[in-house]
Amino acid sequence: MPDPSRESLGFLLIDAGRAVRRRFELRAAELGLSAAQWRVIAQLHRHGPLPQARLAEYMEIEPISVSRLAERMEKAGWIRREADPHDRRIKLVAPTDKATAAFAEARSIADALYADALAGTPPGTRETLIAILKAITNNLSPGTDHD
Amino acid sequence: MPDPSRESLGFLLIDAGRAVRRRFELRAAELGLSAAQWRVIAQLHRHGPLPQARLAEYMEIEPISVSRLAERMEKAGWIRREADPHDRRIKLVAPTDKATAAFAEARSIADALYADALAGTPPGTRETLIAILKAITNNLSPGTDHD
DNA sequence: TCAATATCGTGAGCGGGCTTACGATTTCAA
DNA sequence: TTGAAATCGTAAGCCCGCTCACGATATTGA
């Protein structure tokens, strides 16, 4: 039998993603930052202050998930949520100084982690993997117009 | 700036995994089977009836997660949980006929999904990706003795 | 102008992960 | 033999996704 579980692309993908997340959170535990929270901060540093709806698009999750996430992050002092002066529906999310400081830390944790993850693989593996993952996400995402 | 979010291996991995899971569950919705539940059934068909602790090891999740998952699956009629005659601590998990029937269905859904996911990529991409993902999981898992 | 439509954020409730902590068993070593 | 240690399953309580449903606000079109 062709090993219905271990050879399954989906299983492997989900396993690998979970392993990376688990390791990151283990090492970033003292920062008090989860993987999802780090993703938020990274988006904010990339794009500047954002409405929650925009954040949801960039992260490719649902607005309600951003709502909960932002609520916890605001409570923990990672972000501020300010009213948009031009549109009273919108809450503009911005990183605090604490978030900006943690960003660099988390980045280096992640870099070290990726090095660990790819240890022992041939050179160029990272680029190959990135290209494949982008293709997969593009192929499977409905609004297919990333990057 | 080197695109701190979109180029991040972790983000890409998590995004791709989520995209695959989302698509699978969309198509398997009429089976009433989630990705995690399908993983359980796949393990049972691979290994036969298992104690929950063994299932947790194979799936690389915590026993408590299996506990909840199995509880829901039992209620939905996917599995039975029987007492082990030789060890009263153990609950042996076995698939029902309903699960066995759904297994083949889900398998073909997954196969079609993987084909979609890798559409437009060079031949051999699948094998390359599988090899890399296995390496990552091995590198990052504590008990490192998989396949 | 003003009613229909679209967008924004969130409540309720659920699935699936996790850590920590526990009682019930079994196994093992003194 | 018996007490310590390991193993099994689960309760409690959290984070992070989701669908469905909703009020509030903007935008648009008749």
Side-chain angles (χ1 to χ4, degrees), chain B residues 127-146:
Chain B
E127 289 68 30
T128 303
L129 178 56
I130 287 177
I132 299 175
L133 292 177
K134 280 186 178 178
I136 291 177
T137 303
N138 260 295
N139 283 339
L140 297 185
S141 294
T144 313
D145 256 324
H146 312 299

Side-chain angles (χ1 to χ4, degrees), chain A residues 43-135:
Chain A
Q43 294 296 337
L44 296 179
H45 279 93
R46 183 185 184 195
H47 293 106
L50 290 174
Q52 292 184 188
R54 226 47 52 224
L55 205 42
E57 282 176 16
Y58 292 141
M59 296 180 69
E60 297 192 24
I61 62 179
E62 298 304 312
I64 183 63
S65 302
V66 172
S67 182
R68 309 269 186 249
L69 191 51
E71 189 183 353
R72 285 186 297 267
M73 291 182 72
E74 188 175 40
K75 198 172 297 179
W78 295 114
I79 59 168
R80 278 170 289 116
R81 288 194 287 181
E82 298 163 355
D84 182 310
H86 301 311
D87 188 333
R88 286 190 296 173
R89 292 169 305 181
I90 292 176
K91 290 187 179 180
L92 281 175
V93 180
T96 60
D97 291 346
K98 176 182 170 186
T100 303
F103 182 55
E105 284 273 3
R107 181 98 194 123
S108 72
I109 290 175
D111 286 342
L113 179 56
Y114 301 154
D116 284 358
L118 296 179
T121 62
T125 297
R126 183 193 168 96
E127 288 67 31
T128 304
L129 178 56
I130 287 176
I132 299 174
L133 293 178
K134 280 187 177 178

Side-chain angles (χ1 to χ4, degrees), chain B residues 18 22 51-54 63-64 67-68 81 89-91:
Chain B
R18 192 168 47 228
R22 214 152 43 176
Q52 292 184 186
R54 225 48 50 227
I64 182 64
S67 182
R68 308 269 186 247
R81 288 194 286 180
R89 292 171 304 179
I90 291 176
K91 289 186 178 179

